mmCIF file of all heavy atoms in Angstrom:
data_model
loop_
_atom_site.group_PDB
_atom_site.id
_atom_site.type_symbol
_atom_site.label_atom_id
_atom_site.label_comp_id
_atom_site.label_asym_id
_atom_site.label_seq_id
_atom_site.Cartn_x
_atom_site.Cartn_y
_atom_site.Cartn_z
ATOM 1 N N PRO A 44 -148.862 -114.692 -75.666
ATOM 2 C CA PRO A 44 -147.971 -115.573 -74.881
ATOM 3 C C PRO A 44 -146.505 -115.647 -75.422
ATOM 4 O O PRO A 44 -145.593 -115.782 -74.631
ATOM 5 C CB PRO A 44 -148.622 -116.960 -74.979
ATOM 6 C CG PRO A 44 -149.730 -116.829 -75.901
ATOM 7 C CD PRO A 44 -149.955 -115.400 -76.260
ATOM 8 N N ASP A 45 -146.396 -115.506 -76.733
ATOM 9 C CA ASP A 45 -145.031 -115.515 -77.293
ATOM 10 C C ASP A 45 -144.160 -114.337 -76.868
ATOM 11 O O ASP A 45 -142.963 -114.480 -76.757
ATOM 12 C CB ASP A 45 -145.101 -115.590 -78.839
ATOM 13 C CG ASP A 45 -146.021 -114.529 -79.419
ATOM 14 O OD1 ASP A 45 -147.045 -114.199 -78.836
ATOM 15 O OD2 ASP A 45 -145.657 -114.012 -80.511
ATOM 16 N N ALA A 46 -144.838 -113.216 -76.623
ATOM 17 C CA ALA A 46 -144.095 -112.018 -76.154
ATOM 18 C C ALA A 46 -144.222 -111.786 -74.619
ATOM 19 O O ALA A 46 -143.685 -110.821 -74.104
ATOM 20 C CB ALA A 46 -144.643 -110.798 -76.902
ATOM 21 N N SER A 47 -144.976 -112.699 -73.962
ATOM 22 C CA SER A 47 -145.211 -112.520 -72.522
ATOM 23 C C SER A 47 -145.848 -111.188 -72.131
ATOM 24 O O SER A 47 -145.503 -110.528 -71.214
ATOM 25 C CB SER A 47 -143.982 -112.751 -71.695
ATOM 26 O OG SER A 47 -143.533 -114.049 -71.828
ATOM 27 N N ARG A 48 -146.855 -110.785 -72.921
ATOM 28 C CA ARG A 48 -147.519 -109.489 -72.739
ATOM 29 C C ARG A 48 -149.018 -109.644 -72.806
ATOM 30 O O ARG A 48 -149.537 -110.550 -73.391
ATOM 31 C CB ARG A 48 -147.003 -108.499 -73.762
ATOM 32 C CG ARG A 48 -145.518 -108.191 -73.565
ATOM 33 C CD ARG A 48 -145.030 -107.065 -74.466
ATOM 34 N NE ARG A 48 -143.683 -106.753 -74.015
ATOM 35 C CZ ARG A 48 -143.434 -105.791 -73.128
ATOM 36 N NH1 ARG A 48 -144.315 -105.073 -72.615
ATOM 37 N NH2 ARG A 48 -142.194 -105.571 -72.816
ATOM 38 N N VAL A 49 -149.665 -108.636 -72.206
ATOM 39 C CA VAL A 49 -151.160 -108.609 -72.260
ATOM 40 C C VAL A 49 -151.604 -107.170 -72.581
ATOM 41 O O VAL A 49 -150.892 -106.189 -72.261
ATOM 42 C CB VAL A 49 -151.815 -108.997 -70.929
ATOM 43 C CG1 VAL A 49 -151.717 -110.490 -70.691
ATOM 44 C CG2 VAL A 49 -151.242 -108.244 -69.759
ATOM 45 N N LEU A 50 -152.787 -107.069 -73.192
ATOM 46 C CA LEU A 50 -153.453 -105.794 -73.413
ATOM 47 C C LEU A 50 -154.574 -105.697 -72.381
ATOM 48 O O LEU A 50 -155.408 -106.554 -72.295
ATOM 49 C CB LEU A 50 -154.047 -105.695 -74.795
ATOM 50 C CG LEU A 50 -153.100 -105.329 -75.975
ATOM 51 C CD1 LEU A 50 -153.981 -105.278 -77.240
ATOM 52 C CD2 LEU A 50 -152.483 -103.999 -75.743
ATOM 53 N N VAL A 51 -154.527 -104.675 -71.562
ATOM 54 C CA VAL A 51 -155.529 -104.449 -70.529
ATOM 55 C C VAL A 51 -156.343 -103.179 -70.834
ATOM 56 O O VAL A 51 -155.800 -102.157 -71.199
ATOM 57 C CB VAL A 51 -154.865 -104.366 -69.148
ATOM 58 C CG1 VAL A 51 -155.954 -104.211 -68.060
ATOM 59 C CG2 VAL A 51 -153.996 -105.536 -68.856
ATOM 60 N N GLU A 52 -157.627 -103.292 -70.740
ATOM 61 C CA GLU A 52 -158.545 -102.199 -71.052
ATOM 62 C C GLU A 52 -158.236 -100.935 -70.223
ATOM 63 O O GLU A 52 -158.146 -100.974 -68.979
ATOM 64 C CB GLU A 52 -159.974 -102.665 -70.717
ATOM 65 C CG GLU A 52 -161.088 -101.875 -71.364
ATOM 66 C CD GLU A 52 -162.421 -102.508 -71.136
ATOM 67 O OE1 GLU A 52 -162.678 -103.050 -70.024
ATOM 68 O OE2 GLU A 52 -163.207 -102.512 -72.105
ATOM 69 N N HIS A 53 -158.050 -99.805 -70.925
ATOM 70 C CA HIS A 53 -157.765 -98.482 -70.327
ATOM 71 C C HIS A 53 -156.505 -98.426 -69.457
ATOM 72 O O HIS A 53 -156.408 -97.649 -68.518
ATOM 73 C CB HIS A 53 -158.974 -97.994 -69.515
ATOM 74 C CG HIS A 53 -160.226 -97.914 -70.269
ATOM 75 N ND1 HIS A 53 -160.391 -97.184 -71.402
ATOM 76 C CD2 HIS A 53 -161.385 -98.584 -70.126
ATOM 77 C CE1 HIS A 53 -161.635 -97.318 -71.864
ATOM 78 N NE2 HIS A 53 -162.254 -98.194 -71.147
ATOM 79 N N VAL A 54 -155.528 -99.286 -69.748
ATOM 80 C CA VAL A 54 -154.245 -99.306 -69.059
ATOM 81 C C VAL A 54 -153.158 -99.135 -70.070
ATOM 82 O O VAL A 54 -153.209 -99.752 -71.142
ATOM 83 C CB VAL A 54 -154.045 -100.566 -68.198
ATOM 84 C CG1 VAL A 54 -152.673 -100.666 -67.610
ATOM 85 C CG2 VAL A 54 -155.118 -100.675 -67.087
ATOM 86 N N ASN A 55 -152.086 -98.311 -69.733
ATOM 87 C CA ASN A 55 -150.975 -98.073 -70.625
ATOM 88 C C ASN A 55 -151.422 -97.505 -71.984
ATOM 89 O O ASN A 55 -151.102 -98.068 -73.014
ATOM 90 C CB ASN A 55 -150.154 -99.378 -70.831
ATOM 91 C CG ASN A 55 -148.761 -99.088 -71.411
ATOM 92 O OD1 ASN A 55 -148.275 -97.975 -71.312
ATOM 93 N ND2 ASN A 55 -148.240 -100.061 -72.101
ATOM 94 N N MET A 56 -152.204 -96.462 -71.950
ATOM 95 C CA MET A 56 -152.711 -95.832 -73.144
ATOM 96 C C MET A 56 -151.621 -95.131 -73.901
ATOM 97 O O MET A 56 -150.813 -94.417 -73.262
ATOM 98 C CB MET A 56 -153.816 -94.803 -72.826
ATOM 99 C CG MET A 56 -155.073 -95.412 -72.170
ATOM 100 S SD MET A 56 -155.836 -96.695 -73.116
ATOM 101 C CE MET A 56 -156.669 -95.695 -74.343
#
Side-chain angles (χ1 to χ4, degrees):
D45 51 323
S47 294
R48 293 186 172 268
V49 288
L50 277 181
V51 182
E52 197 172 39
H53 303 300
V54 173
N55 195 25
M56 298 301 285

